[in-house]
Amino acid sequence: MFLKLDVDKNGTLDKEELKVGMDELIGTFEMEQTNWDEFFKAIDSDGNGVIDHKEFIVASFDRQKLVNKANLDMAFDIIDENHDGSLSIDEIKKCFKGSDETWQ
């Protein structure tokens, strides 16, 4: 996933690459700029303004940085395409791009 997000192939992600990549991978969604800044800062552990591969991997597994109510609500809203407040098996399948055989 990191390589797909790293559009300029320089080995790091800046805020724009992360936002554009997330939009392309999971669909466009609205997030206030302050939330993007906080999200980015939480992953950019050395504070140098870019996310390297190591920071990306660590953030992927660091629940305290990524798993909070705001991020969970955002993830739920992204998966809940029809915005009915619940997740159908089809919405979950689409999110994880699993084949029918995977879910049977």
Side-chain angles (χ1 to χ4, degrees), residues 1 7 12 15 18 22 34 38 47 49 56 74-75 81-82 86-87 95 99-101:
M1 180 184 277
V7 175
T12 62
K15 284 182 191 176
L18 182 63
M22 297 272 293
T34 53
E38 290 173 22
F56 186 82
M74 178 181 66
E81 291 183 332
N82 64 4
S86 63
L87 300 179
C95 172
S99 68
D100 287 336
E101 294 81 31

Side-chain angles (χ1 to χ4, degrees), residues 89-90 93 98-104:
I89 190 69
D90 289 334
K93 282 182 187 179
S99 68
D100 287 336
E101 294 81 31
T102 302
W103 296 94
Q104 292 180 0

Side-chain angles (χ1 to χ4, degrees), residues 9-69:
K9 306 300 181 209
N10 68 351
T12 62
L13 304 176
D14 59 29
K15 284 182 191 176
E16 188 62 20
E17 282 178 311
L18 182 63
K19 182 170 183 350
V20 169
M22 297 272 293
D23 285 346
E24 288 176 3
L25 289 172
I26 57 180
T28 302
F29 59 95
E30 294 296 320
M31 182 191 284
E32 293 184 28
Q33 187 61 42
T34 53
N35 291 343
W36 269 112
D37 292 343
E38 290 173 22
F39 181 69
F40 191 86
K41 284 179 188 176
I43 300 171
D44 180 21
S45 61
D46 64 8
N48 68 350
V50 294
I51 298 169
D52 61 33
H53 191 252
K54 179 181 173 187
E55 289 170 320
F56 186 82
I57 296 297
V58 169
S60 297
F61 293 101
D62 189 343
R63 291 183 183 171
Q64 289 186 358
K65 286 185 179 180
L66 294 178
V67 179
N68 58 49
K69 182 161 177 29

